[in-house]
């Protein structure tokens, strides 16, 4: 491993910590025949899932082995999400369940990291209410994990190290990827958009793009390792390239990756409608490896609410984008995120959201009840909507979208689609599952030797969220 950050002393410190812990763990292995074990609980978005792959890579570099058993674990880490209150409460509940284990196994190292720990109130709350936690760190210093573990081994008190601000991008971190077929590749970190409801810019810092050559090198290695699909990650991939020395935008990056051998499919998430350029739509149309799917969060249908959310587009301009996408990429699937119950949302505003949903004909929508996040602008707005009304609106919206999703999927009856076979189905071990280029989940009977291959599958039974099919020889 050769880390790449500006701070040379920091690299040495991390490398030394890795070597020391590895030595300790290797000795234990020689003496007992057992490796020390780790487990990570991950909450939140793909960004966090990918951070967990880095944490796993660092732990394995130090000689730890992954386990699915809490009782067997020597290190347990919670990688947390703060986007909604519900997600935060779930994490706190899980941590409190571990107190008895920590009592009978005092050497267990319990760590909490991720977005929740970047909120000052929250990390202080954890410090005060969960004194048995050993490690608290944030989103900016996950590469420091070896140093933090070393300190935790040497000390009886909690190690608290949350960086307020950091613009560094650390390259060449080890990663243990969860999947062997699909891989996430970060192209940028942070967010500058400050949508008024959203905590992400506060917990992930300012937007910064990785250099294209670093991204290309990572994709090259993935292709050599046999990965078939990559998903390019960023909070707003459409603004990729801002601030880099070399003049490059997201469409240019897609053209570059499309030229690379080995990778069959390219996906990306997330796209902000305000930055979706014609150039990007043409790149999606022209790059044969870029899949016919876009996740384009709309959040609301009322122009008044969109303005209060600081989204910089209107219902009409959003629908025009949808039209333009469908004109250029006829079979494209469009998915979205929608929030109901933003402060001051009236019945009339909500009707605008329903109307937009009908007109846009989304393939799928992730629907959320507005959650007040301390520190954001919307948290201080008057007229917070009552819970009962929020729930009623959510139910109505889900019902509408389900009928649209089912109607759209029913058009696929008897159609043959290309599926990248991913795994034995989690629901039915006699079936395989995979995704279409449009990102729809398909279950079908087949031999597990097909995993990792592209297969032609005829859809026999379309449902709202999944498709059932049969493979064509
Ligand atoms: N950067 C991405 C994703 C951000 S978080 C984007 O801009 O689309 C994922 C989704 O969570 C958002 O799209 C939004 O719909 C939802 N979300 C964010 N903050 C929220 C809040 N305070 N309450 C409810 N939903 C929220
Ligand atoms: Fe949050 Fe808006 Fe940034 Fe997405 S674009 S992460 S919703 S602030
Ligand atoms: Fe949650 Fe952080 Fe992602 S707040 S949604 S894990 S960026």
């Amino acid at each position: 491993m050769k880390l790449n950050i500006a701070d040379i002393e920091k690299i040495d410190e991390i490398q030394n910590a890795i070597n020391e812990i590895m030595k300790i763990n290797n000795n234990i292995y020689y003496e007992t025949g057992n490796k020390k074990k780790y487990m990570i609980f991950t909450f939140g978005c793909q960004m966090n899932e990918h951070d967990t792959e880095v944490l796993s890579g660092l732990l394995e570099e130090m000689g730890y082995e992954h386990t699915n058993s809490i009782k067997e674990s020597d290190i347990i880490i919670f990688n947390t999400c703060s986007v909604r209150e519900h997600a935060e409460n779930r994490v706190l509940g899980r941590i409190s369940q571990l107190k008895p284990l920590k009592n009978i196994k005092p050497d267990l190292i319990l760590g909490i990291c991720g977005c929740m720990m970047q909120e000052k109130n929250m990390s202080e709350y954890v410090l005060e209410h969960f004194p048995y936690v050993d490690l608290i760190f944030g989103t900016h210093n996950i590469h420091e994990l070896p140093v933090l573990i070393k300190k935790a081994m040497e000390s009886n008190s909690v190690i608290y190290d949350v960086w307020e601000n950091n613009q560094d991008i650390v390259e060449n971190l080890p990663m243990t990827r969860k999947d062997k077929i699909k891989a996430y590749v970060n192209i940028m970190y942070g967010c500058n958009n400050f949508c008024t409801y959203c905590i992400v810019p506060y917990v992930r810092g300012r937007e910064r793009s990785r250099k294209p050559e670093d991204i290309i090198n990572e994709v090259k290695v993935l292709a050599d390792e046999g990965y078939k699909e990559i998903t390019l990650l960023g909070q707003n991939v459409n603004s990729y390239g801002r601030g880099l020395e070399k003049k490059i935008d997201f469409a240019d990056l897609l053209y570059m990756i499309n030229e690379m051998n080995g990778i069959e499919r390219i996906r990306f998430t997330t796209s902000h409608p305000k930055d979706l350029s014609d150039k990007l739509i043409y790149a999606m149309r022209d790059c044969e490896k870029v899949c016919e799917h876009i996740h384009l969060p709309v959040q609301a249908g009322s122009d008044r609410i969109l303005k209060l959310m600081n989204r910089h587009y209107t219902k009409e301009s959003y629908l025009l984008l949808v039209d333009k996408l469908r004109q250029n990429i006829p079979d494209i699937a469009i998915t979205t995120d929608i929030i109901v119950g933003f402060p001051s949302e009236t019945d009339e505003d909500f009707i605008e959201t329903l109307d937009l949903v009908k007109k846009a004909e989304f393939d799928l929508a992730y629907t959320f009840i507005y959650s007040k996040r301390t520190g954001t602008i919307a948290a201080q707005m008057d007229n917070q909507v009552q819970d009962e009304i929020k729930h009623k609106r959510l139910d109505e919206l889900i019902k509408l979208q389900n009928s649209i999703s089912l109607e759209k999927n029913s058009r696929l009856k008897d159609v043959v689609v290309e599926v990248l076979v991913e795994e034995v189905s989690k629901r039915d071990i006699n079936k395989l599952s995979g995704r279409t280029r449009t990102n729809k989940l398909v279950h079908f009977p087949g031999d597990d030797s097909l995993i990792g291959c592209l297969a032609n599958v005829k859809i026999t039974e379309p449902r709202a969220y999944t498709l059932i099919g049969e493979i064509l020889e």
Side-chain angles (χ1 to χ4, degrees):
M1 183 186 78
K2 194 172 176 308
L3 287 183
N4 184 357
I5 30 177
D7 187 345
I8 306 270
E9 275 177 30
K10 183 63 73 195
I11 298 177
D12 283 348
E13 196 188 358
I14 296 170
Q15 195 60 63
N16 289 340
I18 290 177
N19 294 343
E20 264 184 56
I21 297 170
M22 190 167 48
K23 220 188 263 169
I24 297 171
N25 285 346
N26 282 347
N27 283 341
I28 291 172
Y29 180 51
Y30 292 135
E31 279 168 22
T32 65
N34 292 321
K35 283 198 167 187
K36 288 261 187 182
K37 298 191 172 46
Y38 77 91
M39 196 170 178
I40 305 178
F41 291 95
T42 312
F43 300 79
C45 64
Q46 288 104 328
M47 210 61 85
N48 254 20
E49 280 179 34
H50 192 43
D51 282 352
T52 288
E53 295 182 332
V54 173
L55 294 168
S56 304
L58 285 165
L59 285 162
E60 290 180 19
E61 193 89 7
M62 290 182 271
Y64 290 94
E65 179 182 72
H66 178 258
T67 175
N68 282 321
S69 154
I70 294 181
K71 277 195 195 136
E72 274 189 8
S73 300
D74 300 289
I75 294 194
I76 300 177
I77 296 177
F78 287 83
N79 190 6
T80 63
C81 168
S82 49
V83 81
R84 283 170 290 274
E85 198 181 355
H86 176 67
E88 295 198 328
N89 291 340
R90 271 175 54 217
V91 171
L92 297 177
R94 297 295 284 276
I95 299 167
S96 57
Q97 284 168 4
L98 287 183
K99 190 174 178 193
L101 183 65
K102 183 75 188 172
N103 283 341
I104 53 170
K105 197 172 173 182
D107 286 344
L108 168 72
I109 295 178
L110 196 53
I112 311 185
C113 65
C115 297
M116 268 169 83
M117 295 303 101
Q118 291 290 150
E119 293 174 82
K120 209 160 186 300
N121 295 348
M122 184 51 80
S123 57
E124 284 173 0
Y125 180 87
V126 169
L127 263 181
E128 192 181 333
H129 291 86
F130 302 93
Y132 50 93
V133 167
D134 302 281
L135 280 182
I136 294 178
F137 56 109
T139 57
H140 299 305
N141 60 336
I142 58 170
H143 58 283
E144 284 231 310
L145 180 68
V147 178
L148 301 175
I149 292 179
K150 187 169 162 268
K151 284 184 186 161
M153 285 171 157
E154 291 163 354
S155 153
N156 277 331
S157 50
V158 54
I159 308 300
Y160 180 96
D161 197 355
V162 179
W163 295 6
E164 299 262 305
N165 219 328
N166 183 42
Q167 299 301 326
D168 272 358
I169 294 181
V170 188
E171 293 293 347
N172 295 340
L173 283 169
M175 281 174 210
T176 304
R177 296 186 189 264
K178 208 168 103 188
D179 203 287
K180 298 274 167 275
I181 299 158
K182 308 190 296 182
Y184 293 131
V185 175
N186 265 324
I187 62 166
M188 58 206 295
Y189 300 88
C191 180
N192 283 355
N193 289 314
F194 289 96
C195 304
T196 54
Y197 49 82
C198 184
I199 197 143
V200 172
Y202 303 91
V203 294
R204 287 272 170 181
R206 294 293 60 73
E207 183 181 292
R208 51 220 185 267
S209 293
R210 275 178 85 190
K211 290 184 193 143
E213 54 271 28
D214 289 330
I215 297 170
I216 297 291
N217 285 341
E218 187 175 338
V219 176
K220 228 180 247 160
V221 172
L222 290 168
D224 290 346
E225 288 174 356
Y227 281 88
K228 295 284 181 284
E229 179 179 303
I230 57 158
T231 302
L232 306 172
L233 289 184
Q235 294 298 347
N236 175 20
V237 292
N238 299 4
S239 62
Y240 173 77
R242 283 181 202 159
L244 285 178
E245 261 169 49
K246 190 171 171 174
K247 201 175 165 305
I248 179 167
D249 62 19
F250 184 53
D252 299 329
L253 187 69
L254 282 183
Y255 282 111
M256 284 162 75
I257 299 177
N258 192 56
E259 290 302 309
M260 296 173 67
N261 289 328
I263 300 294
E264 310 258 8
R265 290 177 167 191
I266 304 168
R267 300 187 186 279
F268 54 86
T269 194
T270 299
S271 293
H272 195 307
K274 79 176 164 62
D275 297 313
L276 180 62
S277 64
D278 288 353
K279 182 175 170 191
L280 178 55
I281 295 176
Y282 302 148
M284 288 182 72
R285 179 193 63 192
D286 297 340
C287 295
E288 71 284 357
K289 292 182 185 168
V290 174
C291 289
E292 294 76 25
H293 168 231
I294 189 163
H295 186 61
L296 194 64
V298 67
Q299 313 297 359
S302 146
D303 289 347
R304 190 182 70 83
I305 296 291
L306 286 170
K307 194 149 194 214
L308 284 175
M309 286 177 162
N310 192 31
R311 291 290 289 180
H312 299 282
Y313 53 84
T314 61
K315 178 182 172 192
E316 194 190 343
S317 66
Y318 183 91
L319 287 171
L320 281 174
L321 276 181
V322 167
D323 273 351
K324 210 186 285 176
L325 282 162
R326 292 212 169 107
Q327 269 164 26
N328 285 281
I329 310 152
D331 291 329
I332 193 168
I334 304 180
T335 56
T336 200
D337 292 345
I338 301 173
I339 299 175
V340 299
F342 184 84
S344 84
E345 185 187 67
T346 61
D347 283 342
E348 287 71 34
D349 292 318
F350 178 60
I351 287 168
E352 291 290 319
T353 297
L354 294 177
D355 184 57
L356 177 134
V357 166
K358 281 180 204 150
K359 291 187 169 130
E361 294 194 343
F362 296 115
D363 289 77
L364 203 76
Y366 299 89
T367 50
F368 307 105
I369 285 183
Y370 168 73
S371 172
K372 190 170 165 181
R373 306 284 64 212
T374 308
T376 61
I377 292 171
Q380 289 154 22
M381 289 182 184
D382 294 333
N383 297 325
Q384 299 281 332
V385 177
Q386 283 173 12
D387 275 355
E388 198 188 326
I389 297 179
K390 287 182 188 168
H391 280 102
K392 234 177 93 204
R393 288 183 188 158
L394 184 74
D395 289 347
E396 198 174 340
L397 179 60
I398 291 176
K399 221 158 129 199
L400 172 64
Q401 181 54 48
N402 279 351
S403 66
I404 296 171
S405 296
L406 184 60
E407 199 280 319
K408 290 210 78 171
N409 281 352
S410 65
R411 296 179 206 166
L412 291 173
K413 173 110 169 82
D414 296 328
V415 173
V416 177
V417 290
E418 181 201 276
V419 173
L420 175 59
V421 187
E422 290 172 14
E423 57 189 4
V424 172
S425 165
K426 289 192 186 80
R427 285 211 205 135
D428 177 352
I429 52 159
N430 296 315
K431 289 205 174 99
L432 299 174
S433 64
R435 286 186 184 263
T436 63
R437 286 178 61 94
T438 51
N439 209 31
K440 292 178 194 264
L441 189 59
V442 189
H443 299 287
F444 53 96
D447 192 276
D448 60 12
S449 62
L450 288 169
I451 292 173
C453 301
L454 293 172
N456 288 323
V457 177
K458 184 170 156 187
I459 303 304
T460 50
E461 190 193 333
R463 300 178 183 169
Y465 295 110
T466 51
L467 305 168
I468 310 295
E470 59 192 28
I471 197 156
L472 297 186
E473 299 303 331

